Amino acid sequence: CTKSMTSAAPPLALVVLVTGASAGIGRITVERLARQGHRFVLAARSADKLASLEQELRDQGVESLCVPTDVSDPNALEHLVSAAVAKFGRIDVLINNAGIECFAPIDELPVENVVQTIETNLTGAILLTRLVVPVMRKQKFGRIINLGSIAGKHGPAYGAVYGATKAGLIAFTQALRGE
């Protein structure tokens, strides 16, 4: 949480931006928060799965915006934030959930997998947070939730890169809290 931005009361229906929203923890998070009447900005690489989730939300009367996004692409992140602000005028909660795993002996991991895992799991969350914080400061309210993993505390064998990205995300979250 970013407590320095809590001087204003939160709106009743929050605008929640969720990366990795098309499947797994991201989708379940959206489905559960939708029951509380929040509005959503849905981001993931899979446009088809996002559209399906958006339709389910619409059928429940929940307002959402679907933005296919690869979080490893800084230009896509800028577009995501711009689209969210254009549609809703604010971003109240950012849930950095997007992530990929790569498990193999370190000397057998292709360089592309190493780079993609770092860019998706860590760099994307940092850059998206960097873009969202000014929006939250301007509206004097905001929450940032970064999904880590126990792998960030106790790096698993054959998961060195994944564990390193989650350790980095934990450290980033602690430092951000201090700011």
Side-chain angles (χ1 to χ4, degrees), residues 18-85:
V18 182
T19 65
S22 65
I25 292 170
R27 186 180 182 103
I28 290 168
T29 299
V30 170
E31 289 170 349
R32 290 190 179 172
L33 290 175
R35 296 178 201 149
Q36 299 172 15
H38 301 302
R39 299 174 292 169
F40 295 92
V41 180
L42 308 170
R45 290 177 295 178
S46 174
D48 293 347
K49 290 180 182 178
L50 281 179
S52 172
L53 177 57
E54 184 178 39
Q55 184 59 53
E56 286 179 31
L57 293 172
R58 190 175 303 122
D59 291 346
Q60 297 171 34
V62 176
E63 189 176 5
S64 64
L65 171 66
C66 180
V67 184
T69 305
D70 180 346
V71 298
S72 70
D73 178 355
N75 293 324
L77 296 176
E78 289 181 18
H79 171 71
L80 173 62
V81 172
S82 295
V85 172

Side-chain angles (χ1 to χ4, degrees), residues 100-104 106 109-110 113-119 121-122 151 156 158-168:
I100 57 175
E101 298 176 337
C102 66
F103 287 94
I106 191 67
L109 273 173
N113 290 39
V114 172
V115 171
Q116 186 66 33
T117 301
I118 294 168
E119 288 178 348
N121 296 4
L122 182 58
Y158 306 105
V161 175
Y162 177 78
T165 63
K166 293 305 182 173

